Amino acid sequence: LKVGDRVMALTGWGSFAEQVAVSGQNVLPIPAEMDFTTAAAFSMTYGTSMHALKQRANLQPGETLLVLGASGGVGLAAVEIGKAMGAWVIAAASTNEKLEIARKAGADELINYSEASLRERLKELTDGQGVDVIYDPVGGKLFEETFRSIAWNGRMLVVGFAAGGEIPALPANLPLLKGAALIGVFWGAFAQRQPQDNAANFKQLFAWYAEGKLKPLVSQTFALEQAAEAIDTLGQRKAVGKLVVKVR
Ligand SMILES: NC(=O)c1ccc[n+]([C@@H]2O[C@H](COP(=O)([O-])OP(=O)(O)OC[C@H]3O[C@@H](n4cnc5c(N)ncnc54)[C@H](OP(=O)(O)O)[C@@H]3O)[C@@H](O)[C@H]2O)c1
């Protein structure tokens, strides 16, 4: 890195600011064809979903991938990366408008979990076989219901708990019966502990971006003074894709 480079950084906390100090390990050059707003929305979402699907789930071409919260930040990135890795992607979300966004990102099948029974629809869509990989950034009551729809040798990725409330628990007989795995995902720790693997992930992500396979959606931008409004929009479950706060 040198002075004047265009860079993106993982700051953890404290980036609603005009200046921020960050460890060099957490800074990446922005590809020439990517603008700053897209770069601001890129690293957390695509970094997390790539690590989840590659290192944690070992997703294979032709496998079925179910993404919950599929129009949200990490969910929409998981839909695109799943398609780029050759999976058959089922997107699930709470409204038809949100599902339309997942469809535009490449999802093969859509399930509105406010209207339909997730278990019944998954049974129909997979001919009773269940889903190979489940990507769950939502948690809540969908967690156990979804795990019950997992395939033999399936992997369920614990990514986040956007639904709030109690952290879900799982009866231990369920993974036993399916020969399935419950797998934790913690991208920030992975990036610190395995920086070379993280850098290789970003090399692949930037290549897919240059090929047009990834199209990060920034649905709204906010001025720095409106940062609290941006956070409220997320909390009210109104956001799709990413929201970006612009410092200038
Ligand atoms: N493990 C990691 O390394 C890692 C990295 C990044 C983020 N995360 C976590 O992943 C989760 C999602 O992050 P994100 O940036 O994708 O958030 P987001 O853009 O707000 O998306 C979250 C999705 O969750 C669903 N949801 C269900 N109930 C909700 C509620 N009460 N409030 C808000 N959303 C609700 C929404 O979809 P529907 O309306 O369609 O249900 C929403 O699209 C967060 O918990 C975050 O902390 C984890």
Side-chain angles (χ1 to χ4, degrees), residues 12 23 28 41 53 69 76 82 92 108 128 146 148 158 165 185 195 199 225-226 233:
S23 155
L28 283 170
L53 297 176
L76 202 55
D108 298 290
T146 318
R148 288 179 182 274
V158 182
V185 176
E225 299 73 30
Q226 300 170 305
T233 308

Side-chain angles (χ1 to χ4, degrees), residues 19-77:
Q19 298 187 13
V20 62
V22 189
S23 155
Q25 188 177 301
N26 296 341
V27 179
L28 283 170
I30 300 174
E33 60 277 10
M34 188 183 282
D35 60 70
F36 276 109
T37 304
T38 305
F42 196 84
S43 62
M44 173 70 88
T45 47
Y46 288 88
T48 299
S49 295
M50 181 73 170
H51 168 53
L53 297 176
K54 187 176 176 198
Q55 280 85 18
R56 304 304 288 146
N58 191 21
L59 180 68
Q60 297 299 312
E63 284 194 314
T64 312
L65 168 67
L66 168 68
V67 180
L68 304 180
S71 77
V74 295
L76 202 55

Side-chain angles (χ1 to χ4, degrees), residues 88-170:
W88 186 62
V89 178
I90 304 172
S94 64
T95 70
N96 291 339
E97 293 73 29
K98 288 183 172 185
L99 286 170
E100 180 57 21
I101 285 169
R103 190 187 62 73
K104 282 191 185 141
D108 298 290
E109 296 287 346
L110 310 173
I111 304 177
N112 181 333
Y113 44 60
S114 306
E115 288 175 355
S117 155
L118 205 49
R119 279 197 78 190
E120 289 306 316
R121 281 292 289 143
L122 289 171
K123 209 184 257 179
E124 285 166 18
L125 289 173
T126 63
D127 290 332
Q129 297 300 305
V131 182
D132 297 310
V133 175
I134 300 170
Y135 183 99
D136 182 11
V138 180
K141 67 176 174 50
L142 292 178
F143 183 81
E144 182 178 332
E145 187 184 343
T146 318
F147 195 93
R148 288 179 182 274
S149 304
I150 206 162
W152 177 251
N153 266 331
R155 288 87 79 205
M156 179 154 183
L157 298 162
V158 182
V159 180
F161 310 102
E166 273 187 36
I167 300 285
L170 194 70

Side-chain angles (χ1 to χ4, degrees), residues 165-226:
E166 273 187 36
I167 300 285
L170 194 70
N173 65 320
L174 297 181
L176 181 154
L177 290 169
K178 297 288 182 69
L182 187 65
I183 301 181
V185 176
F186 188 173
W187 173 62
F190 162 77
Q192 300 303 314
R193 288 166 183 263
Q194 295 172 241
Q196 285 172 349
D197 294 330
N198 188 48
N201 283 0
F202 272 88
K203 196 172 170 207
Q204 175 66 79
L205 288 169
F206 289 153
W208 281 336
Y209 177 80
E211 289 165 24
K213 288 186 177 166
L214 307 180
K215 297 192 175 72
L217 171 66
V218 175
S219 60
Q220 248 179 300
T221 59
F222 296 81
L224 183 56
E225 299 73 30
Q226 300 170 305

